[in-house]
Amino acid sequence: MPQSAEKFLPGRLSRAGFVALALTSAAGIMLGEFLLAACAAAAAGISLASNPRFTSHHARLWKHFKTASYSILAILLLVALWQGPWALSHWLYALPLVTFALMPTYIAALITALLTFAILVSTQWAVILPDRHQMISAFVLTTLLSTLLIFLREYKARQLAPLRRTDELTQAASREYLSADLHKEIQRSEREGTDMSVMMIGLDTHLSDNDPDEDIRAILPRVGRYLHSQLRDFDTYYRVADLQFLVILPGINTAGAAASAEKIRNGLCKLLASHGMKLTVSTGIAGLNIGDDADSLQHSAANALRRAQQQGGNRTQAYSNWLHPDVQSATGTQGDAR
């Protein structure tokens, strides 16, 4: 239920905000308050660009649109301090929270400081505006409260990070639990005498400079959902880096893991292509051998992935003690000798 709310509420709120602001803009045009109409239209653009339903496609375009809408809104609100209507100055109280919601914390803090300076200077020059002293004190107070709210949010996120079981963006299991979970699976495999493999999945971002990191991260929730749909119920996947995942595959040998990796790799490539991203995916496979522990198995899978990317990417590479013909036929590559 919480995960459903996290996916459902932002879309509903952004749509409701867009409708309300669009109606406000239309009313402003009808009443001849064109500056009010322009501010409401810019705010409606921000609300529209914040809807996850739309931003999952053409993420770069929506990001630029959101930035442009925010910039226009900030400029228009500053202009309103000089030309009126005076009621628009109250919109400035919400500007710090909007800034922190749209941008990284350090960038938002810098922009908020610059906006605060510009607003204070403007109100000092615009001496004919009524209640400017009350406006200054109210704006400074709301900015401080907004800053305190953001600080508490960041502090809470850092405190809860070690306790969070899943990654918020991809719904993959948290990396902090990887070593313990992998150790348990190794013990179970050795106790029951069954096979076990580990798969490392990585996006070949070093082969393409056309897609910025922001666009790639925008597609990560879909990548996480795709992995969830392709893996078995008792498989577990972890986000071990920004653009890398590790999957624990109990009961599967290296050849079977390589076949699964190829299927997942091809599916992810199609998913990225459907969103206009010219990116490929590589996978590294490591099977459990005698003497392996959680660290060595992770290291073997990471080396296999690195080997695949060094060979040009867009491939699956197996890492094993011996060269198995069945592994080579399944992956199309040769496993490295340890």
Coordinates of all heavy atoms in Angstrom, one line a residue, residues 228-297:
H228 N 11.9 -7.1 -11.9 CA 11.0 -7.8 -11.0 C 10.1 -8.7 -11.8 O 9.8 -9.8 -11.3 CB 10.2 -6.7 -10.3 CG 9.3 -7.3 -9.3 ND1 9.7 -7.7 -8.0 CD2 7.9 -7.5 -9.3 CE1 8.7 -8.2 -7.4 NE2 7.6 -8.1 -8.1
S229 N 9.7 -8.3 -13.0 CA 8.8 -9.2 -13.8 C 9.5 -10.4 -14.4 O 8.8 -11.4 -14.7 CB 8.1 -8.3 -14.9 OG 9.1 -7.9 -15.9
Q230 N 10.8 -10.3 -14.6 CA 11.5 -11.4 -15.3 C 12.1 -12.4 -14.4 O 12.4 -13.5 -14.8 CB 12.6 -10.8 -16.2 CG 12.1 -9.9 -17.3 CD 11.2 -10.7 -18.3 OE1 11.6 -11.8 -18.7 NE2 10.1 -10.2 -18.6
L231 N 12.3 -12.0 -13.1 CA 13.0 -12.9 -12.2 C 11.9 -13.8 -11.5 O 10.8 -13.5 -11.4 CB 13.8 -12.1 -11.1 CG 14.9 -11.3 -11.7 CD1 15.5 -10.4 -10.7 CD2 16.0 -12.2 -12.4
R232 N 12.4 -14.9 -10.9 CA 11.6 -15.8 -10.2 C 11.2 -15.2 -8.8 O 11.9 -14.3 -8.3 CB 12.2 -17.2 -10.0 CG 12.6 -17.9 -11.3 CD 13.5 -19.1 -11.1 NE 14.8 -18.7 -10.5 CZ 15.7 -19.5 -10.1 NH1 15.5 -20.8 -10.2 NH2 16.8 -19.1 -9.5
D233 N 10.2 -15.7 -8.1 CA 9.8 -15.2 -6.9 C 10.9 -15.3 -5.8 O 11.0 -14.4 -4.9 CB 8.6 -15.9 -6.4 CG 7.3 -15.6 -7.2 OD1 7.4 -14.6 -7.9 OD2 6.4 -16.4 -7.2
F234 N 11.8 -16.3 -5.9 CA 12.8 -16.5 -4.9 C 14.1 -15.9 -5.3 O 15.1 -16.1 -4.6 CB 12.9 -18.0 -4.4 CG 13.0 -18.9 -5.6 CD1 14.2 -19.2 -6.2 CD2 11.9 -19.5 -6.1 CE1 14.3 -20.1 -7.3 CE2 11.9 -20.4 -7.2 CZ 13.2 -20.7 -7.8
D235 N 14.2 -15.3 -6.5 CA 15.4 -14.6 -6.9 C 15.4 -13.2 -6.2 O 14.3 -12.7 -5.9 CB 15.5 -14.4 -8.4 CG 15.7 -15.7 -9.1 OD1 16.2 -16.7 -8.5 OD2 15.3 -15.8 -10.3
T236 N 16.6 -12.7 -5.9 CA 16.7 -11.4 -5.3 C 17.6 -10.5 -6.1 O 18.7 -10.9 -6.5 CB 17.2 -11.5 -3.9 OG1 16.5 -12.5 -3.2 CG2 17.0 -10.2 -3.1
Y237 N 17.2 -9.2 -6.3 CA 18.1 -8.3 -7.1 C 18.3 -7.1 -6.2 O 17.5 -6.6 -5.4 CB 17.5 -7.9 -8.4 CG 16.2 -7.1 -8.4 CD1 16.2 -5.8 -8.7 CD2 15.0 -7.7 -8.1 CE1 15.1 -5.0 -8.7 CE2 13.8 -7.0 -8.1 CZ 13.9 -5.6 -8.4 OH 12.7 -4.9 -8.4
Y238 N 19.6 -6.6 -6.3 CA 20.1 -5.4 -5.5 C 20.6 -4.4 -6.4 O 21.2 -4.7 -7.5 CB 21.1 -5.9 -4.6 CG 20.7 -7.1 -3.7 CD1 20.7 -8.4 -4.1 CD2 20.4 -6.8 -2.3 CE1 20.3 -9.4 -3.3 CE2 20.0 -7.9 -1.5 CZ 20.0 -9.2 -2.0 OH 19.6 -10.2 -1.2
R239 N 20.4 -3.1 -6.0 CA 21.1 -2.0 -6.7 C 22.4 -1.7 -6.1 O 22.5 -1.2 -5.0 CB 20.2 -0.8 -6.7 CG 20.7 0.4 -7.6 CD 19.8 1.6 -7.5 NE 20.3 2.7 -8.3 CZ 19.9 3.9 -8.2 NH1 18.9 4.2 -7.3 NH2 20.4 4.9 -9.0
V240 N 23.5 -2.2 -6.7 CA 24.8 -2.1 -6.1 C 25.5 -0.8 -6.5 O 26.6 -0.5 -5.9 CB 25.6 -3.3 -6.5 CG1 25.0 -4.6 -5.9 CG2 25.8 -3.5 -8.0
A241 N 25.1 -0.1 -7.6 CA 25.6 1.2 -8.0 C 24.5 2.0 -8.7 O 23.4 1.5 -8.8 CB 26.8 1.0 -8.9
D242 N 24.9 3.2 -9.1 CA 23.8 4.0 -9.8 C 23.2 3.3 -10.9 O 22.0 3.3 -11.1 CB 24.5 5.3 -10.3 CG 24.7 6.3 -9.1 OD1 24.1 6.1 -8.1 OD2 25.4 7.3 -9.3
L243 N 24.0 2.6 -11.8 CA 23.5 2.0 -13.0 C 23.8 0.5 -13.1 O 24.0 0.0 -14.1 CB 24.0 2.7 -14.2 CG 23.7 4.2 -14.3 CD1 24.4 4.9 -15.5 CD2 22.2 4.5 -14.3
Q244 N 24.0 -0.1 -11.9 CA 24.3 -1.6 -11.9 C 23.4 -2.3 -10.9 O 23.1 -1.8 -9.8 CB 25.8 -1.7 -11.5 CG 26.8 -1.3 -12.6 CD 28.2 -1.6 -12.2 OE1 28.5 -2.1 -11.1 NE2 29.1 -1.3 -13.2
F245 N 23.1 -3.5 -11.2 CA 22.3 -4.4 -10.4 C 23.0 -5.7 -10.2 O 23.7 -6.2 -11.1 CB 20.9 -4.6 -11.0 CG 20.1 -3.4 -11.1 CD1 20.2 -2.6 -12.2 CD2 19.2 -3.0 -10.1 CE1 19.4 -1.4 -12.4 CE2 18.4 -1.8 -10.2 CZ 18.6 -1.0 -11.4
L246 N 22.8 -6.4 -9.1 CA 23.3 -7.7 -8.8 C 22.1 -8.6 -8.5 O 21.2 -8.2 -7.7 CB 24.3 -7.8 -7.7 CG 25.0 -9.1 -7.5 CD1 26.5 -8.9 -7.2 CD2 24.3 -9.9 -6.4
V247 N 22.0 -9.8 -9.1 CA 20.9 -10.7 -8.9 C 21.5 -12.0 -8.4 O 22.4 -12.6 -8.9 CB 20.2 -11.0 -10.3 CG1 19.0 -11.9 -10.0 CG2 19.8 -9.7 -10.9
I248 N 20.9 -12.5 -7.3 CA 21.2 -13.8 -6.7 C 20.2 -14.8 -7.3 O 19.0 -14.7 -7.3 CB 21.1 -13.8 -5.2 CG1 22.0 -12.8 -4.6 CG2 21.4 -15.2 -4.6 CD1 21.9 -12.6 -3.1
L249 N 20.8 -15.9 -8.0 CA 20.0 -16.9 -8.6 C 20.2 -18.3 -8.0 O 21.1 -19.0 -8.4 CB 20.4 -17.0 -10.1 CG 20.3 -15.7 -10.9 CD1 20.9 -15.8 -12.3 CD2 18.8 -15.3 -11.1
P250 N 19.4 -18.6 -7.0 CA 19.6 -19.9 -6.3 C 19.2 -21.1 -7.3 O 18.2 -20.9 -8.1 CB 18.7 -19.9 -5.1 CG 18.3 -18.4 -5.0 CD 18.4 -17.8 -6.3
G251 N 19.9 -22.2 -7.2 CA 19.5 -23.4 -8.0 C 19.7 -23.3 -9.4 O 19.2 -24.2 -10.2
I252 N 20.6 -22.4 -9.9 CA 20.9 -22.3 -11.3 C 22.4 -22.3 -11.5 O 23.1 -21.6 -10.8 CB 20.3 -21.0 -11.9 CG1 18.8 -21.0 -11.9 CG2 20.8 -20.8 -13.3 CD1 18.2 -19.7 -12.5
N253 N 22.9 -23.2 -12.5 CA 24.3 -23.2 -12.8 C 24.7 -22.1 -13.7 O 23.8 -21.3 -14.1 CB 24.7 -24.6 -13.3 CG 23.9 -24.9 -14.6 OD1 23.4 -24.0 -15.3 ND2 23.9 -26.2 -15.0
T254 N 25.9 -22.0 -14.1 CA 26.5 -20.9 -14.9 C 25.8 -20.8 -16.2 O 25.5 -19.8 -16.7 CB 28.0 -21.0 -15.0 OG1 28.6 -21.2 -13.7 CG2 28.6 -19.8 -15.7
A255 N 25.6 -22.0 -16.9 CA 25.0 -22.0 -18.2 C 23.5 -21.5 -18.1 O 23.1 -20.7 -19.0 CB 25.0 -23.4 -18.8
G256 N 22.8 -22.0 -17.1 CA 21.4 -21.5 -17.0 C 21.4 -20.0 -16.7 O 20.5 -19.3 -17.2
A257 N 22.3 -19.5 -15.8 CA 22.3 -18.1 -15.5 C 22.7 -17.3 -16.7 O 22.1 -16.2 -16.9 CB 23.3 -17.9 -14.4
A258 N 23.6 -17.8 -17.6 CA 23.9 -17.1 -18.8 C 22.8 -16.9 -19.7 O 22.6 -15.9 -20.4 CB 25.1 -17.8 -19.5
A259 N 22.0 -18.0 -19.8 CA 20.8 -17.9 -20.7 C 19.8 -16.9 -20.2 O 19.2 -16.1 -20.9 CB 20.1 -19.3 -20.8
S260 N 19.6 -16.9 -18.9 CA 18.7 -15.9 -18.3 C 19.2 -14.5 -18.4 O 18.4 -13.6 -18.7 CB 18.5 -16.2 -16.8 OG 17.9 -17.5 -16.6
A261 N 20.5 -14.4 -18.3 CA 21.1 -13.0 -18.5 C 20.9 -12.5 -19.9 O 20.7 -11.3 -20.1 CB 22.6 -13.1 -18.1
E262 N 21.1 -13.4 -20.9 CA 20.9 -12.9 -22.3 C 19.5 -12.5 -22.5 O 19.2 -11.5 -23.2 CB 21.3 -14.1 -23.2 CG 22.7 -14.1 -23.6 CD 23.1 -12.9 -24.4 OE1 22.8 -12.8 -25.6 OE2 23.8 -12.0 -23.8
K263 N 18.5 -13.2 -21.9 CA 17.1 -12.9 -22.1 C 16.8 -11.5 -21.5 O 16.2 -10.6 -22.1 CB 16.2 -13.9 -21.5 CG 14.8 -13.6 -21.6 CD 13.9 -14.7 -20.9 CE 12.4 -14.4 -20.9 NZ 11.6 -15.4 -20.2
I264 N 17.3 -11.3 -20.2 CA 17.1 -10.0 -19.5 C 17.9 -8.9 -20.2 O 17.3 -7.8 -20.4 CB 17.6 -10.2 -18.1 CG1 16.7 -11.1 -17.3 CG2 17.7 -8.8 -17.4 CD1 17.1 -11.4 -15.9
R265 N 19.1 -9.2 -20.7 CA 19.9 -8.1 -21.4 C 19.2 -7.7 -22.7 O 19.1 -6.4 -22.9 CB 21.3 -8.7 -21.7 CG 22.2 -7.6 -22.2 CD 23.5 -8.3 -22.6 NE 23.3 -9.2 -23.8 CZ 23.2 -8.7 -25.0 NH1 23.2 -7.4 -25.3 NH2 23.0 -9.5 -26.0
N266 N 18.7 -8.6 -23.5 CA 18.0 -8.2 -24.7 C 16.7 -7.4 -24.4 O 16.4 -6.5 -25.1 CB 17.7 -9.4 -25.5 CG 18.9 -10.1 -26.1 OD1 19.8 -9.4 -26.5 ND2 18.9 -11.4 -26.3
G267 N 16.0 -7.9 -23.3 CA 14.8 -7.2 -23.0 C 15.0 -5.7 -22.5 O 14.3 -4.8 -22.8
L268 N 16.1 -5.5 -21.7 CA 16.5 -4.2 -21.3 C 16.9 -3.3 -22.4 O 16.6 -2.1 -22.4 CB 17.6 -4.3 -20.2 CG 17.2 -4.8 -18.8 CD1 18.4 -5.0 -17.9 CD2 16.1 -3.9 -18.2
C269 N 17.6 -3.9 -23.4 CA 18.0 -3.1 -24.5 C 16.8 -2.6 -25.3 O 16.7 -1.4 -25.8 CB 18.9 -3.9 -25.4 SG 20.6 -4.2 -24.8
K270 N 15.8 -3.5 -25.4 CA 14.6 -3.1 -26.1 C 13.8 -2.0 -25.3 O 13.2 -1.1 -25.9 CB 13.7 -4.3 -26.4 CG 14.2 -5.3 -27.3 CD 13.3 -6.5 -27.5 CE 13.9 -7.5 -28.5 NZ 13.0 -8.7 -28.6
L271 N 13.8 -2.1 -24.0 CA 13.2 -1.2 -23.1 C 13.8 0.2 -23.3 O 13.1 1.2 -23.4 CB 13.2 -1.6 -21.7 CG 12.7 -0.6 -20.6 CD1 11.2 -0.4 -20.8 CD2 13.0 -1.1 -19.2
L272 N 15.2 0.3 -23.3 CA 15.9 1.5 -23.4 C 15.6 2.1 -24.8 O 15.4 3.3 -25.0 CB 17.4 1.3 -23.2 CG 17.8 0.9 -21.8 CD1 19.2 0.5 -21.7 CD2 17.5 2.0 -20.8
A273 N 15.6 1.3 -25.8 CA 15.4 1.8 -27.2 C 14.0 2.3 -27.4 O 13.8 3.3 -28.1 CB 15.6 0.6 -28.2
S274 N 13.0 1.7 -26.7 CA 11.6 2.2 -26.8 C 11.5 3.6 -26.2 O 10.5 4.3 -26.5 CB 10.7 1.2 -26.1 OG 10.9 1.2 -24.7
H275 N 12.4 4.0 -25.3 CA 12.4 5.4 -24.7 C 13.4 6.3 -25.4 O 13.8 7.3 -24.8 CB 12.6 5.3 -23.2 CG 11.5 4.7 -22.5 ND1 11.2 3.3 -22.4 CD2 10.5 5.3 -21.7 CE1 10.1 3.1 -21.7 NE2 9.7 4.3 -21.3
G276 N 13.9 5.9 -26.5 CA 14.8 6.8 -27.3 C 16.2 6.9 -26.8 O 16.9 7.8 -27.1
M277 N 16.6 5.9 -26.0 CA 18.0 5.9 -25.5 C 18.8 4.9 -26.2 O 18.5 3.7 -26.3 CB 17.9 5.5 -24.0 CG 17.3 6.5 -23.1 SD 17.4 6.2 -21.3 CE 16.6 7.6 -20.7
K278 N 19.9 5.4 -26.8 CA 20.8 4.5 -27.6 C 21.8 4.0 -26.7 O 23.0 4.3 -26.7 CB 21.4 5.3 -28.7 CG 20.4 5.9 -29.7 CD 21.1 6.7 -30.8 CE 20.0 7.2 -31.8 NZ 20.6 8.0 -32.9
L279 N 21.4 3.1 -25.8 CA 22.3 2.5 -24.8 C 22.2 1.0 -24.9 O 21.1 0.4 -25.3 CB 21.9 2.9 -23.4 CG 22.2 4.4 -23.0 CD1 21.6 4.7 -21.6 CD2 23.7 4.6 -23.0
T280 N 23.3 0.3 -24.5 CA 23.3 -1.1 -24.5 C 23.5 -1.6 -23.1 O 23.8 -0.8 -22.2 CB 24.4 -1.7 -25.4 OG1 25.6 -1.2 -25.0 CG2 24.1 -1.4 -26.8
V281 N 23.3 -2.9 -22.9 CA 23.4 -3.5 -21.5 C 24.4 -4.7 -21.6 O 24.3 -5.4 -22.5 CB 22.0 -4.0 -21.0 CG1 22.1 -4.6 -19.6 CG2 21.0 -2.8 -21.0
S282 N 25.2 -4.8 -20.6 CA 26.1 -5.9 -20.4 C 25.8 -6.7 -19.1 O 25.3 -6.0 -18.2 CB 27.5 -5.5 -20.5 OG 27.9 -5.0 -21.7
T283 N 26.1 -7.9 -19.1 CA 25.9 -8.7 -17.9 C 27.1 -9.6 -17.6 O 27.8 -10.0 -18.6 CB 24.7 -9.7 -18.0 OG1 24.8 -10.5 -19.2 CG2 23.4 -8.8 -18.1
G284 N 27.4 -9.8 -16.4 CA 28.5 -10.7 -15.9 C 27.9 -11.8 -15.1 O 27.1 -11.6 -14.2
I285 N 28.4 -13.0 -15.3 CA 27.9 -14.2 -14.6 C 29.0 -14.8 -13.8 O 30.1 -15.0 -14.3 CB 27.3 -15.2 -15.6 CG1 26.2 -14.6 -16.4 CG2 26.8 -16.5 -14.9 CD1 25.0 -14.1 -15.6
A286 N 28.7 -15.2 -12.6 CA 29.7 -16.0 -11.8 C 28.9 -17.1 -11.1 O 27.9 -16.9 -10.4 CB 30.4 -15.1 -10.8
G287 N 29.4 -18.4 -11.2 CA 28.8 -19.5 -10.5 C 29.5 -19.8 -9.2 O 30.7 -19.4 -9.1
L288 N 28.8 -20.4 -8.3 CA 29.4 -20.7 -7.0 C 30.4 -21.8 -7.1 O 30.0 -22.9 -7.7 CB 28.3 -21.0 -6.0 CG 28.8 -21.4 -4.6 CD1 29.5 -20.3 -3.9 CD2 27.6 -21.9 -3.8
N289 N 31.6 -21.6 -6.7 CA 32.6 -22.7 -6.7 C 33.1 -23.0 -5.3 O 32.8 -22.2 -4.3 CB 33.9 -22.2 -7.5 CG 33.5 -22.1 -9.0 OD1 33.0 -23.0 -9.6 ND2 33.8 -20.9 -9.6
I290 N 33.8 -24.1 -5.1 CA 34.3 -24.4 -3.8 C 35.2 -23.4 -3.2 O 36.1 -22.9 -3.9 CB 35.0 -25.8 -3.8 CG1 34.0 -26.9 -4.2 CG2 35.6 -26.1 -2.5 CD1 34.7 -28.3 -4.4
G291 N 35.0 -22.9 -2.0 CA 35.8 -21.9 -1.4 C 35.3 -20.5 -1.6 O 35.9 -19.6 -1.0
D292 N 34.3 -20.3 -2.4 CA 33.7 -19.0 -2.6 C 33.0 -18.5 -1.4 O 32.3 -19.3 -0.7 CB 32.8 -19.0 -3.8 CG 33.5 -18.8 -5.1 OD1 34.6 -18.2 -5.1 OD2 33.0 -19.2 -6.2
D293 N 33.1 -17.2 -1.1 CA 32.3 -16.6 -0.1 C 31.5 -15.4 -0.7 O 31.6 -15.2 -1.9 CB 33.1 -16.1 1.1 CG 34.2 -15.2 0.7 OD1 34.2 -14.6 -0.4 OD2 35.1 -15.0 1.5
A294 N 30.8 -14.6 0.1 CA 30.0 -13.6 -0.5 C 30.9 -12.5 -1.2 O 30.5 -12.1 -2.3 CB 29.2 -12.9 0.6
D295 N 32.0 -12.2 -0.6 CA 32.8 -11.2 -1.3 C 33.5 -11.7 -2.6 O 33.5 -10.9 -3.6 CB 34.0 -10.7 -0.3 CG 33.4 -10.0 0.9 OD1 32.3 -9.4 0.8 OD2 34.1 -10.0 2.0
S296 N 34.0 -12.9 -2.6 CA 34.6 -13.4 -3.8 C 33.6 -13.6 -4.9 O 33.9 -13.4 -6.1 CB 35.3 -14.7 -3.5 OG 34.4 -15.7 -3.1
L297 N 32.4 -14.0 -4.6 CA 31.4 -14.2 -5.6 C 31.0 -12.9 -6.2 O 30.8 -12.8 -7.4 CB 30.2 -14.9 -5.0 CG 29.3 -15.7 -6.0 CD1 30.0 -16.6 -6.9 CD2 28.2 -16.4 -5.2

